[in-house]
Amino acid sequence: VADIEAVFVPAAGENNAIVINEINYNSSDEFDTEDWIELYNNSEYEVDLSGWKFKDSEPEHEFVIPEGTILAPDGYIVLCRDFEMFSELFPDVQNVTGNFDFGLSGGGEEIYILNQINAIVDSVVYDDEYPWPTEPDGNGHSLELINPDKDNNLPESWGASVGHGTPGKV
């Protein structure tokens, strides 16, 4: 008789494991990376994102994260609309995938991350008007979550990035 030991790991999505923590929805004309979002693994466990989906409020808008995409604890991944444009302006960002074939709106957009069984892991409804930070709307900044433990649907949980954002890092 073999001994079997159960090892329990929190499921992705529990305790804010995967968080939408940076959004670039309207690049400046001088630094146009096209749209992108960043996900953060706010846990101490690797999370397999293979087959997860990034969506917005339009049902036909869907990007499926490629097979073999593992997000390390405290790790980041960028999902971009145009990999080539993004990489040209952020050549040092390694953990990036794309291309999603829809754009992000500034005027009250809703975005989602869904796991393999289509359960919502995280979602954000953001805007480009006060009380949301307004600098990310075409002025070269991204929308950055101040702390991954904060409710990312509250405008006060977000700020404008310094410079053009910090994709792939704190």
Side-chain angles (χ1 to χ4, degrees), residues 53-133:
K53 297 175 183 104
F54 166 50
K55 298 178 68 82
D56 71 4
S57 51
E58 296 293 325
E60 68 276 5
H61 292 174
E62 176 178 283
F63 173 73
V64 179
I65 298 174
E67 289 297 314
T69 303
I70 307 296
L71 192 52
D74 292 319
Y76 298 88
I77 186 168
V78 176
L79 311 180
C80 63
R81 182 171 186 189
D82 188 311
F83 181 82
E84 196 171 297
M85 287 180 75
F86 178 88
S87 295
E88 184 176 310
L89 295 170
F90 288 111
D92 297 332
V93 178
Q94 299 298 309
N95 204 12
V96 58
T97 189
N99 295 323
F100 58 84
D101 62 356
F102 54 94
L104 302 177
S105 169
E109 180 80 276
E110 187 168 8
I111 58 176
Y112 308 87
I113 297 296
L114 297 97
N115 64 16
Q116 295 96 332
I117 61 170
N118 289 321
I120 295 174
V121 173
D122 195 21
S123 66
V124 177
V125 180
Y126 65 90
D127 208 335
D128 62 352
E129 296 181 2
Y130 183 83
W132 287 86

